[in-house]
Amino acid sequence: MTATATAPAKKASSRRVKQGGLSEVRAGWFTKVLLGLLVVMWTVPTLGTIITSFRTLDDANTSGWWEVFYKPEYWSRLTFDNYIDAWNGAGASSANFGASFLNSLAIALPATFIPILIAAFAAYTFTFMEFKGREVLFILIVSLLVVPNFVAFIPLQNIYNNLEFVGFPKVWLAHIGFGMSLAIFILRNFMTTLPRSVIESAKIDGASHYGIFYRLILPMSVPALAAFAIFQFLWVWNDLMVALVFLGPGENEPVTVALTSLKGQLGQGWNLTTAGGILSMLVPVTVFLVLQRYFVRGLTAGAVKG
Amino acid sequence: MLLKSGTVLVTVAIGIAGAIALFWALNKLAELLPSKWEHRLKPYLLILPAYLAISLYLLYPTIVTVINSFKDRTSDQWVGFTNYADLFTDKAFQSTLFNTVLWVIIVPAVTIIVGLAVAALTDRLPSKSEKFVKTMIFVPMAISMVGAATVWRFVYAYQPAGETQTGLLNAVWTSGGAEPVPWLNTSTFRLNTLLLMVILLWAQVGYAMVLLSAAIKSVPAETLEAARVDGAEERQVFFSVILPQIKGTIIAVGVTVTIGVMKIFDIVYTNTNGQFNTNVLANDFINELTTNFNYGAASAIVVILMIAVIPIMIYQVRNFKEQEAAA
């Protein structure tokens, strides 16, 4: 978002835990109870889903998930079947999470990694090279950050139909295009903080722009590259709209679309939505927890997505 | 399956190798030019791929969409402002617009207030518990809205009176003897829309909390000390010392959340698909596009949304220019 507003924040979030702020004041019991309640409120819905994902359809239909805690008769009926059925696509549902899981990976990985290099070159050019129109071109990027990406859906569908484009490349290219302005924005903001003296001295030693980019700038920009990569990966993995419009339900559907179709089927198959939902969350939540530090840095470095 | 995983890896490799080759070629191309031209042209060549992507996926479509919004449902005939007139005179669309405005007013404000409260309160905890509380509140951000809808089903679920309630909210509600309520079908006072907002708040309060917490921690300790020495209470320290210093971050979070909420789609689509008076602009757009195949109306909805975004865009650009001038 706004670089200056959050610039000090960027520094603060990286390592240090306690310094300024309110830390002088210790939490009283009221604060502790309040925060405890908040944590409960935030985790109970997920807990309910996890528990339900191990219950049989009958149990889930006839009793609340919380009854598992005080009615031991439910314990023996807890089962992994929902997961097995959701993964293999058994039962009343046609959704097959095993396949859609791979589809999600097949969509998210290229859509995450390909734009990075393209954006990094552009960010380098904006930061370290002088050229006419530099400011105007960058302001274009800043203004495009807020443009809703669904302006592109109808015109793109026409282009894709005319070119007889099919399958994953449709969404890869779309996500590359949609993610580009944010990528350039984040990377350029980061690169302006790199010490110019290093680049100047490399230039004096006769290094080309190309060499400086690959040997100096790219390695130094790893935190920002990682931040954008996580952001883009989560965004693409969790995306429903782009997948729905360009891929739709069927053999290429990612987990979000599979889960949506499953949710639509009331009655028979719905117990699979819990297992499917948990499966669909595993990847992003793991990525998120493991790389949280980079992600936070990416947020503070400025993130709006159009 | 194995084949597919292979394809994925190969594509990633080809994509990256392709991008490297492309820039190598562009660089070589620039070097072939006379040195004077090389320096002039190279920057443009290096930003060319990025701008091609942006032009094809945002600029060109924006122009086409504006044009399509003045054409009929198949984009063949010019119809002037008919699409807009039809939308604005349609009762259902007025309700959609009203809901979207509700989202835009309520969600950013509550996100900031709750995020700020959590950020300020966790700051007083020992650092281990602080980290735990923050992680718990932050994690839903990684979950898709479809996943969130699945999760919240067990809060909002409804069974007719007399049957066991499987939704937490109804279980609590009926425990005092009240009749169960079909929460997401109840649009009295836009209750269902408000309940859908709760899901979004659940998902993104963590975002506001993280940014605001970082800002609070970067407030210089001296300013707080000074205020305390002067006898200010903690409440006063927060409202008159900390708050003014983190104003920039609060606005930044507000703008980001507002933009996100204007385009809110997944939550409504997966929970109610806009039924029971919960429709919002983006969901209406998708329905016009994929169910009604009315490209004129769909385009007009996007244009309305883009016009709504313009003030934020101007603000962003102005803000950016100020910062560049200050740097």
Side-chain angles (χ1 to χ4, degrees), chain A residues 116-138:
Chain A
I116 290 183
L117 198 63
I118 300 176
F121 262 106
Y124 174 85
T125 312
F126 276 117
T127 320
F128 299 109
M129 292 167 109
E130 294 286 343
F131 56 98
K132 255 203 190 119
R134 184 169 79 159
E135 204 196 345
V136 175
L137 283 171
F138 196 75

Side-chain angles (χ1 to χ4, degrees), chain A residues 116-189:
Chain A
I116 290 183
L117 198 63
I118 300 176
F121 262 106
Y124 174 85
T125 312
F126 276 117
T127 320
F128 299 109
M129 292 167 109
E130 294 286 343
F131 56 98
K132 255 203 190 119
R134 184 169 79 159
E135 204 196 345
V136 175
L137 283 171
F138 196 75
I139 281 177
L140 182 67
I141 299 275
V142 176
S143 35
L144 286 178
L145 283 174
V146 298
V147 171
N149 62 23
F150 38 93
V151 297
F153 291 177
I154 300 172
L156 276 182
Q157 263 187 341
N158 289 334
I159 295 179
Y160 283 162
N161 288 342
N162 290 338
L163 296 177
E164 291 179 28
F165 240 35
V166 285
F168 297 134
K170 295 201 289 191
V171 267
W172 289 336
L173 291 170
H175 283 303
I176 291 170
F178 299 150
M180 192 56 68
S181 44
L182 180 70
I184 297 176
F185 187 71
I186 289 185
L187 294 179
R188 185 256 180 201
N189 276 358

Side-chain angles (χ1 to χ4, degrees), chain B residues 238-290:
Chain B
F238 182 76
F239 283 102
S240 37
V241 182
I242 295 179
L243 221 46
Q245 295 194 62
I246 61 169
K247 210 175 88 191
T249 309
I250 294 178
I251 294 174
V253 171
V255 170
T256 313
V257 174
T258 306
I259 296 167
V261 171
M262 286 172 122
K263 301 175 306 182
I264 191 72
F265 161 72
D266 324 35
I267 294 185
V268 176
Y269 181 83
T270 48
N271 278 294
T272 59
N273 195 12
Q275 288 173 293
F276 317 112
N277 260 331
T278 56
N279 216 357
V280 289
L281 280 182
N283 192 61
D284 207 24
F285 162 75
I286 285 291
N287 281 337
E288 290 293 353
L289 178 64
T290 61

Side-chain angles (χ1 to χ4, degrees), chain B:
Chain B
M1 266 199 192
L2 202 63
L3 186 73
K4 209 173 241 171
S5 357
T7 325
V8 175
L9 290 176
V10 171
T11 322
V12 176
I14 291 178
I16 292 170
I20 293 175
L22 176 69
F23 283 103
W24 182 83
L26 287 171
N27 192 55
K28 280 284 163 226
L29 188 72
E31 281 171 6
L32 287 178
L33 297 164
S35 134
K36 195 176 139 198
W37 283 100
E38 182 192 334
H39 284 293
R40 267 191 206 166
L41 276 184
K42 202 181 241 178
Y44 300 106
L45 286 176
L46 292 182
I47 60 171
L48 183 68
Y51 276 82
L52 278 181
I54 290 171
S55 309
L56 178 62
Y57 282 90
L58 284 174
L59 292 180
Y60 162 78
T62 304
I63 297 165
V64 175
T65 301
V66 172
I67 295 172
N68 280 348
S69 74
F70 296 107
K71 290 186 171 180
D72 65 359
R73 54 186 303 130
T74 49
S75 308
D76 292 321
Q77 305 270 315
W78 293 97
V79 295
F81 282 90
T82 311
N83 289 320
Y84 294 95
D86 286 351
L87 283 175
F88 283 111
T89 50
D90 178 20
K91 276 270 180 314
F93 185 76
Q94 288 167 5
S95 163
T96 301
L97 215 51
F98 179 71
N99 285 332
T100 312
V101 171
L102 277 187
W103 279 86
V104 170
I105 292 172
I106 297 173
V107 173
V110 180
T111 306
I112 288 173
I113 292 169
V114 179
L116 199 56
V118 179
L121 293 178
T122 50
D123 202 48
R124 303 176 178 191
L125 291 174
S127 85
K128 266 201 183 137
S129 347
E130 176 184 358
K131 205 167 173 241
F132 172 76
V133 173
K134 279 180 166 175
T135 306
M136 285 301 133
I137 288 176
F138 199 27
V139 160
M141 221 195 136
I143 297 174
S144 68
M145 286 304 141
V146 193
T150 313
V151 167
W152 280 79
R153 168 190 197 130
F154 299 100
V155 178
Y156 294 151
Y158 161 80
Q159 310 290 341
E163 287 180 35
T164 321
Q165 294 301 323
T166 54
L168 195 59
L169 195 54
N170 263 326
V172 174
W173 181 255
T174 53
S175 66
E179 289 286 298
V181 179
W183 300 107
L184 293 183
N185 303 5
T186 308
S187 69
T188 323
F189 297 116
R190 304 278 157 167
L191 176 68
N192 45 10
T193 293
L194 293 174
L195 292 174
L196 292 180
M197 289 180 195
V198 170
I199 305 181
L200 183 63
L201 288 169
W202 175 76
Q204 69 176 22
V205 158
Y207 163 79
M209 172 201 72
V210 164
L211 289 188
L212 294 168
S213 162
I216 289 177
K217 285 183 196 301
S218 69
V219 170
E222 304 91 73
T223 57
L224 304 177
E225 304 276 301
R228 284 179 189 134
V229 168
D230 289 347
E233 284 171 42
E234 281 315 311
R235 185 187 300 265
Q236 287 172 311
V237 171
F238 182 76
F239 283 102
S240 37
V241 182
I242 295 179
L243 221 46
Q245 295 194 62
I246 61 169
K247 210 175 88 191
T249 309
I250 294 178
I251 294 174
V253 171
V255 170
T256 313
V257 174
T258 306
I259 296 167
V261 171
M262 286 172 122
K263 301 175 306 182
I264 191 72
F265 161 72
D266 324 35
I267 294 185
V268 176
Y269 181 83
T270 48
N271 278 294
T272 59
N273 195 12
Q275 288 173 293
F276 317 112
N277 260 331
T278 56
N279 216 357
V280 289
L281 280 182
N283 192 61
D284 207 24
F285 162 75
I286 285 291
N287 281 337
E288 290 293 353
L289 178 64
T290 61
T291 316
N292 299 343
F293 301 103
N294 187 343
Y295 289 180
S299 300
I301 294 171
V302 180
V303 173
I304 293 168
L305 203 59
M306 282 200 304
I307 292 171
V309 163
I310 287 176
I312 299 179
M313 192 189 276
I314 293 170
Y315 171 80
Q316 292 270 86
V317 170
R318 193 179 293 164
N319 202 16
F320 172 76
K321 278 186 175 163
E322 270 169 24
Q323 282 163 20
E324 290 299 292

